[in-house]
Amino acid sequence: QVQVVESGGGLVQPGGSLRLSCAASGSIFSGNVVGWYRQAPGKQRGLVATITSGGSTNYADFVKGRFTISRDNAKNTVYLQMNSLKPEDTAVYYCAVRGMSRYYWGQGTQVTVSS
C-alpha cells in the first residue's frame, strides 16, 4: 500500500523552529522528486520546496534562507527544517511524491506560528 505520512507540525512562537518529516513507501520514494507544499486558510496550495533523488533542491522565494529541505534515501524520508518562523508561515504543510503518472499526497500537518 502506497503511503505518504507527514509529522512534526505544531504550535511555535515567531522566530522559532520546527522540523517536519515525510515518510513514504519505498516503492514510490526511490528515484523520485519529493516536495513540500502548504495551504493557508482561504488560499491555494503552493510550493515550498522540492528535492530530487540526487539531492538537488529548489525553494520558493519566501522561504529561501529560512527553510532547508533534505532527504534520507535509506529511510525513505524527506525533512523540512523551518527556522525563523513567521506568523505568515501558518498553514497546513503537505508532502507530495512525484510518481510516474501522478502525485502521491500525504494528509498534511498543521503548523501554527503565534505568540
Side-chain angles (χ1 to χ4, degrees):
Q1 182 178 357
V2 173
Q3 282 191 316
V4 178
V5 180
E6 304 98 334
S7 61
L11 173 64
V12 63
Q13 292 186 342
S17 299
L18 280 176
R19 189 176 82 154
L20 306 182
S21 298
C22 169
S25 303
S27 61
I28 59 168
F29 186 88
S30 180
N32 286 327
V33 176
V34 180
W36 283 99
Y37 299 76
R38 72 186 189 185
Q39 186 168 19
K43 295 187 177 181
Q44 289 189 330
R45 190 176 301 186
L47 176 69
V48 175
T50 62
I51 187 166
T52 68
S53 58
S56 295
T57 59
N58 181 56
Y59 295 93
D61 287 343
F62 54 81
V63 302
K64 285 182 179 177
R66 299 190 298 127
F67 292 9
T68 302
I69 189 171
S70 61
R71 69 191 284 164
D72 185 336
N73 290 329
K75 296 182 178 180
N76 295 339
T77 301
V78 167
Y79 305 97
L80 185 68
Q81 178 67 43
M82 305 187 295
N83 299 327
S84 302
L85 283 162
K86 305 174 182 179
E88 51 263 44
D89 293 318
T90 295
V92 178
Y93 284 71
Y94 296 90
C95 176
V97 180
R98 189 188 303 170
M100 290 289 288
S101 58
R102 56 166 288 187
Y103 283 79
Y104 297 88
W105 291 91
Q107 81 290 348
T109 185
Q110 176 70 46
V111 172
T112 302
V113 184
S114 175
S115 55

